[in-house]
């Protein structure tokens, strides 16, 4: 049974929200906004604290109605640096629904712009990290749904300011424990500031013991006092602009270009041919997660990745061809496995549904002989539309990167003749199978695959070992998996294999494909890892060198989220990925890279 995460919300006679779980109000309807501005914004020295900064990070314990964040966004838009980026992190153990938050925030019409932006991206109550885009404010919010101790242990950012806004220590002691204060201190940037309404002695002593200078200040309204604290003995590190080069222009490179742009960094994308010349160049792609009924981290990783991909593709014009993918059972054990997957708490309500054979047949329009798993948030997408949207504003160069050479303050990217293509402070290698030539010890293996497509044939997106994906004009089907192969183009023999794969599960669809006439074909080489998990992070032993690769057949699902993780590491901003999940894709988990190696076969996606 899913854990009860409801705040058990009630409303006072003044229409103010009250938590039945903690028997306390979220704010006073008369002066809640004024209290937020006095206790948290002024209490953290805002806006003065971000003067001269282009990046600023605020963390909050107790997201509640979103009032503090809405007030902060309003202030940032009015008095933040024009080119600044605001990173927000907040924790909520018992989240409100969008409707409840909208009712609460309606009390403050002066915050309407910020409130509407928050409500537009308000997440569900699914446990885990949720990245919420607030582009009108040059801000992102990573909202952690779960216990505060867990959230702080998983967040890898460093806050310049903290809003401690949990319910009072007497009613919500877990929010003010020594473990939480330890986490706060560990995740504080130099010169970090803390503001809270409580003046409880344990909180004052706890902050002081962890290096903060603590002062009582006059309170607001009926509260006589409040606390301000500031980390001593450290000076804020000035912002420094960095140049970034991305090698590869497939889905990994395009996702990186988008992620860096969202951080205010215009990356240079280097491609040897054209965008999508490698495995990202088919007329359609399925965005599906890796399903794991036993490994909770893998399930959580792909659940978060699918949610992030769905949100970003929805915002890219023409990207989504059709939403929802049916995964058919391949073995008798899959029925029980799919039921377990559908019941995992990492998925939003209704996102996964185990279906019987009749329901599957109803979706596909022909008998299939087995049940399946309906993946509501999976989809078929247009790779060309995504690459165009995400690479459109990037600075691009056409060159074949053969070697990387460490240089003072960064890297030199060299061609086959050892001529310099570019210098950059940081480099991300995202060249598909070509990554193996630039970081030879990352345990990458090639898999050559062929897919075919025809026009005038329709089917919903479906996978079963083989797959069929609508292209908008027809149907893509396949694909072969020739492990260890890197050479060779399309062949009639591979096309026969693909049609035979369709016919084995969906004979009526196969007949329609065959009747449509000769199918077009294309081959590409994907890169895989021994544990079938991607590589996303710093290349071991190499300063300011990163990799996003080993995506296998899940690139369009995993790349958007993992690109944001890698970009955050390169720029020094908070990652959207919890630490435990980041460890599962860390390149150090299975290899020590020696990046200065031989020429690569390709330098594209």
């Amino acid at each position: 049974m899913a854990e009860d995460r409801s705040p058990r919300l009630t409303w006072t006679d003044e229409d103010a929200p009250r938590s039945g779980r903690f028997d306390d109000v979220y704010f006073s309807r008369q002066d809640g906004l004024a209290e937020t501005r006095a206790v948290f914004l002024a209490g953290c020295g805002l806006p003065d604290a971000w003067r001269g900064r282009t990046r600023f990070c605020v963390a909050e314990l107790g997201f509640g109605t979103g009032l503090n964040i809405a007030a902060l966004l309003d202030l940032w838009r009015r008095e933040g640096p024009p080119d600044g980026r605001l990173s927000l992190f907040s924790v909520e153990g018992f989240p409100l629904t969008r409707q409840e938050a909208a009712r609460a925030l309606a009390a403050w019409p002066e915050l309407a712009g910020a409130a509407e932006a928050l409500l537009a991206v308000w997440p569900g109550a699914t446990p885990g990290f949720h990245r919420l885009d607030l582009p009108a404010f040059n801000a992102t919010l990573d909202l952690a749904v779960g216990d505060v101790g867990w959230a702080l242990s998983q967040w890898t950012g460093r806050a310049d300011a903290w809003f401690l806004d949990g319910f009072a220590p007497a009613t919500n002691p877990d929010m003010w424990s020594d473990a939480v204060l330890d986490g706060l201190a560990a995740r504080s940037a130099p010169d970090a500031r803390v503001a809270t309404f409580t003046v409880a002695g344990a909180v004052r002593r706890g902050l002081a013991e962890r290096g903060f200078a603590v002062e009582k200040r006059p309170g607001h309204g009926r509260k006589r006092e409040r606390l301000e604290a500031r980390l001593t003995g450290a000076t804020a590190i000035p912002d420094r602009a960095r140049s970034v080069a991305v090698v590869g222009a497939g889905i990994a490179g395009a996702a990186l270009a988008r992620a860096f742009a969202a951080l205010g960094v215009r990356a240079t994308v280097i491609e040897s041919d054209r965008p999508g010349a490698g495995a990202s160049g088919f007329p359609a792609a399925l965005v599906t997660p890796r399903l794991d009924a036993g490994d909770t981290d893998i399930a959580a990783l792909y659940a978060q990745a699918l949610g992030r991909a769905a949100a970003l593709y929805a915002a890219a014009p023409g990207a989504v061809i059709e939403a929802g993918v049916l995964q058919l059972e391949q073995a008798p054990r899959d029925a029980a496995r799919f039921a377990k997957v559908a019941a995992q708490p990492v998925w939003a309500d209704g996102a996964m549904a185990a279906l019987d054979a009749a329901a599957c047949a109803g979706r596909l329009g022909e008998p299939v002989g087995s049940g399946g798993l309906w993946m509501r948030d999976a989809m078929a997408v247009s790779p060309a539309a995504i690459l165009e949207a995400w690479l459109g504003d990037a600075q691009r160069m056409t060159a074949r990167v053969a070697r990387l050479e460490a240089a003072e303050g960064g890297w030199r990217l060299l061609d086959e003749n050892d001529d310099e293509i570019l210098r950059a402070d940081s480099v991300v290698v995202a060249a598909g199978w070509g990554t193996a030539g630039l970081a030879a010890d990352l345990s990458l293996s090639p898999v050559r695959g062929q897919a075919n497509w025809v026009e005038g044939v329709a089917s919903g997106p479906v996978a079963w070992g083989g797959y069929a994906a609508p292209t908008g004009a027809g149907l893509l089907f396949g694909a072969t998996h020739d492990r260890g192969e890197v050479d060779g183009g399309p062949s009639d023999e591979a096309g026969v294999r693909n049609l035979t794969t369709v016919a084995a599960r969906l004979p009526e669809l196969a007949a329609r494909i065959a009747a449509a006439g000769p199918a077009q074909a294309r081959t590409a080489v994907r890169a895989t890892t021994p544990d079938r998990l991607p590589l996303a992070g710093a290349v071991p032993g190499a300063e300011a060198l990163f990799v996003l690769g080993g995506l296998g057949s899940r690139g369009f699902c995993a790349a958007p989220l993992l690109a944001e993780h890698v970009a955050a590491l390169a720029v020094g901003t908070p990652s959207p990925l919890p630490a435990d999940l980041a460890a599962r894709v860390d390149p150090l988990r299975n290899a020590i890279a020696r990046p200065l190696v031989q020429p690569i076969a390709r330098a594209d996606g």
Side-chain angles (χ1 to χ4, degrees):
M1 181 179 295
E3 185 178 359
D4 178 15
R5 285 285 175 185
S6 168
R8 303 171 190 168
L9 200 68
T10 61
W11 298 86
T12 69
D13 292 340
E14 298 173 332
D15 205 36
R18 184 180 187 89
S19 171
R21 183 179 290 273
F22 295 105
D23 192 27
D24 201 353
V25 293
Y26 286 87
F27 53 73
S28 163
R29 183 160 177 101
Q30 281 72 38
D31 63 356
L33 177 56
E35 182 177 66
T36 285
R37 286 171 168 163
V39 175
F40 297 111
L41 303 187
C44 283
L46 305 177
D48 290 341
W50 62 49
R51 302 291 187 210
R53 304 279 300 275
T54 58
R55 301 187 188 282
F56 199 79
C57 180
V58 178
E60 176 187 51
L61 304 187
F63 181 63
T65 65
L67 174 60
N68 294 339
I69 297 299
L72 174 62
L73 289 170
D74 176 69
L75 180 64
W76 177 260
R77 183 158 65 177
R78 288 186 287 108
E79 300 195 43
D83 59 344
R85 291 297 189 279
L86 180 64
S87 295
L88 305 170
F89 175 72
S90 190
V91 183
E92 182 53 59
F94 308 98
L96 277 66
T97 66
R98 179 184 284 108
Q99 293 74 20
E100 291 167 339
R103 179 176 174 181
L105 293 174
W108 320 112
E110 57 266 65
L111 296 182
E116 288 168 6
L118 267 183
L119 293 169
V121 294
W122 197 272
T126 309
F129 279 26
H130 302 259
R131 170 149 286 192
L132 311 177
D133 296 309
L134 300 159
F137 297 84
N138 283 345
T140 58
L141 167 61
D142 290 315
L143 179 62
V145 176
D147 295 333
V148 63
W150 166 83
L152 287 175
S153 74
Q154 295 301 304
W155 187 52
T156 55
R158 290 190 177 274
D160 298 298
W162 290 90
F163 299 168
L164 305 190
D165 196 23
F167 292 110
T171 60
N172 188 18
D174 289 348
M175 187 69 84
W176 308 92
S177 68
D178 284 342
V180 167
L181 295 179
D182 285 342
L184 180 153
R187 306 317 308 164
S188 290
D191 200 36
R193 302 164 188 240
V194 177
T196 182
F197 61 87
T198 185
V199 292
V203 176
R204 298 199 316 271
R205 291 189 297 273
L207 290 171
E209 290 167 358
R210 289 161 178 83
F212 289 87
V214 183
E215 294 184 75
K216 288 184 181 180
R217 296 291 192 188
H220 181 83
R222 290 176 295 176
K223 296 178 180 177
R224 285 193 313 167
E225 296 176 308
R226 58 184 174 86
L227 286 188
E228 293 181 10
R230 191 164 181 173
L231 194 60
T232 58
T235 303
I237 300 171
D239 298 332
R240 184 170 78 88
R242 296 188 65 84
S243 59
V244 177
V246 173
V247 183
I251 183 56
L256 285 161
R258 191 214 66 81
F260 279 114
L263 295 175
V265 176
R266 190 181 184 204
T268 299
V269 179
I270 303 172
E271 55 198 86
S272 67
D273 191 343
R274 66 189 186 283
S280 300
F282 291 90
L286 288 185
V287 182
T288 58
R290 176 174 163 182
L291 304 173
D292 199 303
D295 191 319
T296 56
D297 278 353
I298 291 178
L301 172 66
Y302 279 93
Q304 186 180 352
L306 179 62
R308 189 61 178 143
L312 292 174
Y313 293 150
V320 179
I321 297 172
E322 187 169 339
V325 177
L326 179 61
Q327 177 76 46
L328 296 175
E329 296 169 8
Q330 293 178 257
R333 67 183 180 88
D334 281 344
R337 188 169 73 92
F338 286 172
K340 288 181 180 179
V341 168
Q344 289 174 319
V346 298
W347 307 106
D349 289 344
M352 295 286 178
L355 305 182
D356 61 18
C360 291
R363 286 196 173 273
L364 294 175
E366 69 171 286
V368 295
S370 71
L373 182 71
W374 174 246
M375 302 182 288
R376 182 195 64 195
D377 299 332
M379 65 192 74
V381 296
S382 166
I386 294 167
L387 299 189
E388 180 180 359
W390 290 358
L391 290 170
D393 294 330
Q395 182 174 332
R396 284 154 54 184
M397 298 178 65
T398 301
R400 188 179 299 277
V401 179
R403 193 165 65 87
L404 302 173
E405 181 179 274
E408 184 177 355
W411 292 89
R412 299 176 67 218
L413 290 80
L414 307 173
D415 65 14
E416 294 94 331
N417 300 317
D418 262 2
D419 291 331
E420 183 175 294
I421 301 168
L422 182 72
R423 287 190 183 222
D425 295 326
S426 301
V427 175
V428 187
V429 182
W433 170 238
T435 298
L438 291 175
D441 292 338
L442 285 176
S443 298
L444 291 171
S445 300
V447 178
R448 188 187 67 200
Q450 175 174 317
N452 296 80
W453 64 96
V454 292
E455 295 186 0
V457 176
S459 171
V462 57
W464 65 92
Y467 67 87
T471 65
L475 196 70
L476 179 79
F477 61 97
T480 60
H481 287 76
D482 297 319
R483 299 190 180 280
E485 298 291 333
V486 296
D487 298 321
S491 70
D492 291 341
E493 180 273 334
V496 169
R497 276 195 278 160
N498 283 335
L499 188 58
T500 300
T501 298
V502 177
R505 293 305 303 269
L506 301 168
E508 294 179 16
L509 178 60
R512 288 190 284 128
I513 291 172
Q520 300 182 66
R522 187 175 184 275
T523 62
V525 179
R526 302 184 188 278
T528 65
T529 63
D531 60 6
R532 298 191 300 121
L533 288 173
L535 302 172
V539 173
E543 182 77 19
L545 180 64
F546 304 87
V547 62
L548 177 56
L551 299 173
S553 61
R554 309 288 179 191
F556 280 86
C557 178
L561 174 65
L562 297 186
E564 291 182 317
H565 170 62
V566 173
L569 295 179
V571 177
T573 59
S575 168
L577 205 57
D580 285 350
L581 305 189
R584 297 300 295 268
V585 296
D586 191 327
L588 187 59
R589 73 181 188 270
N590 63 1
I592 300 297
R594 293 195 303 270
L596 310 180
V597 294
Q598 316 135 15
I600 62 175
R602 308 182 63 90
D604 58 52

